[in-house]
Amino acid sequence: EEMFKKLKGNKEIRPNAITYNIMLKMYSKRSHFEKVDELYLEMEAEGVRPDGITYNTYINALGRAGRVADAEQVFKNCPSPDVVTFTTLMKTFSEFDRFEAAKALFEDMKRVGINPSLVTYSVMIDCLGKAGDLVGAQMIVDEMTIRGLSPNVVCYTSLIRGYAQKGDLSGVLFLLKSMEESRLRPTERSFCEVIDALASSGKFDGAELMVEKMRDADMSLGIVAYNTLLKLYNSQKNVGKVRQVFEELVLNGNQPDEVSFNTYINALGEANDMTGAECAF
């Protein structure tokens, strides 16, 4: 940052688009969205022409800041959007449940002759899965397969979540099996979606087996996995297991979030451990 300030003060060497893009990415990664705005406007004021990376970075930052309309406007201002530009805005639309807008943008991209990437397909499968359009999601899988692209773990996990939301446990388990047969290693998120689906269907023994499988996979569990385990044991009214998981969560350096605390307090309250619940609160 100091070097950038010195460069701006140099009359012989001025920051160019590459320099600004580096700073935009840095501020976006740190979630300093006000700084991202300032730099983008400064580029215009200094006569530095934004390139594709500039637009992609700015749209991503605006999306992460929840400024969907602004992200859409910057996209419209982009003279030559590429596959990353389209995909970035699609992801933003999907994250804020603007599923029809994402689908329309996907079709627009193909209409102007830009081929979707594996990331694009992953975003659209996730989008359609969240929208409950499993037929549409499967059509995307078929389309990418025809183009010689194989679904990755992200695609499978998104489909699993979609089937889980529909309460289709057989579909969830079929997808998990297909993923493993394709020699793809399920992620923490993949396991959590399957555990949730099993627990929601009352298949607690199956959920427990999946927990063991996740632990045997030698992966470092994060807050998503621990929250899934807390909810599983809370639904079984197994307060001992809830306590054990919560303690493990903290001991392994994770910061409990709202879901963690609420689930933990609920379990203690159901067990009439008001002292423990008040201490946690």
Side-chain angles (χ1 to χ4, degrees), residues 143-159:
E143 178 182 323
M144 65 186 292
T145 303
I146 290 171
R147 289 196 52 228
L149 297 173
S150 299
N152 58 14
V153 174
V154 176
C155 296
Y156 274 108
T157 302
S158 296
L159 286 170

Side-chain angles (χ1 to χ4, degrees), residues 2-281:
E2 288 299 320
M3 186 63 69
F4 182 65
K5 289 179 181 178
K6 289 180 180 179
L7 185 58
K8 287 198 295 183
N10 191 317
K11 295 181 179 179
E12 297 181 2
I13 305 175
R14 304 293 296 166
N16 58 18
I18 296 174
T19 319
Y20 275 102
N21 289 342
I22 292 170
M23 297 303 297
L24 284 168
K25 285 184 177 180
M26 183 187 77
Y27 285 130
S28 178
K29 187 176 181 181
R30 295 178 180 177
S31 299
H32 293 172
F33 301 122
E34 299 85 356
K35 286 285 189 180
V36 174
D37 281 331
E38 290 175 13
L39 277 182
Y40 184 78
L41 294 174
E42 184 180 301
M43 285 182 73
E44 294 183 339
E46 293 293 329
V48 180
R49 185 177 180 182
D51 60 15
I53 296 174
T54 311
Y55 284 108
N56 296 342
T57 304
Y58 195 32
I59 291 169
N60 179 58
L62 291 168
R64 289 176 54 222
R67 294 164 53 189
V68 183
D70 290 339
E72 191 172 5
Q73 186 57 53
V74 171
F75 176 87
K76 291 176 180 178
N77 293 338
C78 180
S80 302
D82 60 14
V83 64
V84 178
T85 320
F86 275 98
T87 303
T88 302
L89 186 58
M90 279 179 221
K91 187 172 185 291
T92 296
F93 283 150
S94 177
E95 287 175 347
F96 288 89
D97 296 344
R98 289 187 56 186
F99 305 127
E100 292 302 320
K103 286 161 63 176
L105 194 62
F106 180 66
E107 294 303 325
D108 286 345
M109 181 180 71
K110 293 190 290 183
R111 194 175 299 115
V112 297
I114 297 176
N115 288 324
S117 66
L118 180 57
V119 176
T120 312
Y121 283 123
S122 298
V123 167
M124 284 309 302
I125 290 169
D126 184 61
C127 171
L128 294 169
K130 287 195 296 184
D133 183 3
L134 299 181
V135 173
Q138 187 58 55
M139 287 176 64
I140 296 292
V141 174
D142 294 342
E143 178 182 323
M144 65 186 292
T145 303
I146 290 171
R147 289 196 52 228
L149 297 173
S150 299
N152 58 14
V153 174
V154 176
C155 296
Y156 274 108
T157 302
S158 296
L159 286 170
I160 286 172
R161 180 171 63 178
Y163 278 90
Q165 288 177 346
K166 288 283 189 179
D168 187 343
L169 182 59
S170 60
V172 168
L173 297 177
F174 174 78
L175 285 165
L176 179 66
K177 183 180 179 182
S178 298
M179 183 194 305
E180 293 173 332
E181 288 177 347
S182 299
R183 297 185 177 181
L184 294 172
R185 186 182 183 215
T187 63
E188 175 188 341
R189 176 71 71 174
S190 311
F191 280 119
C192 290
E193 295 291 352
V194 177
I195 292 167
D196 275 340
L198 287 163
S200 296
S201 300
K203 307 291 185 181
F204 294 118
D205 289 343
E208 287 279 10
L209 288 172
M210 199 57 59
V211 170
E212 291 178 16
K213 191 172 183 178
M214 178 172 66
R215 289 188 180 278
D216 290 342
D218 194 28
M219 62 175 62
S220 178
L221 303 188
I223 192 66
V224 173
Y226 281 116
N227 284 344
T228 298
L229 297 182
L230 287 170
K231 287 186 288 183
L232 168 64
Y233 296 128
N234 185 43
S235 65
Q236 294 176 279
K237 300 191 182 305
N238 190 337
V239 68
K241 279 283 193 179
V242 170
R243 281 199 182 98
Q244 182 182 328
V245 169
F246 191 84
E247 289 170 4
E248 180 186 332
L249 180 160
V250 176
L251 285 172
N252 285 346
N254 290 278
Q255 178 63 45
D257 62 9
E258 184 177 346
V259 174
S260 315
F261 277 117
N262 287 346
T263 308
Y264 185 48
I265 292 170
N266 178 262
L268 295 174
E270 289 289 328
N272 292 318
D273 184 359
M274 300 313 296
T275 302
E278 287 174 2
C279 288
F281 183 76

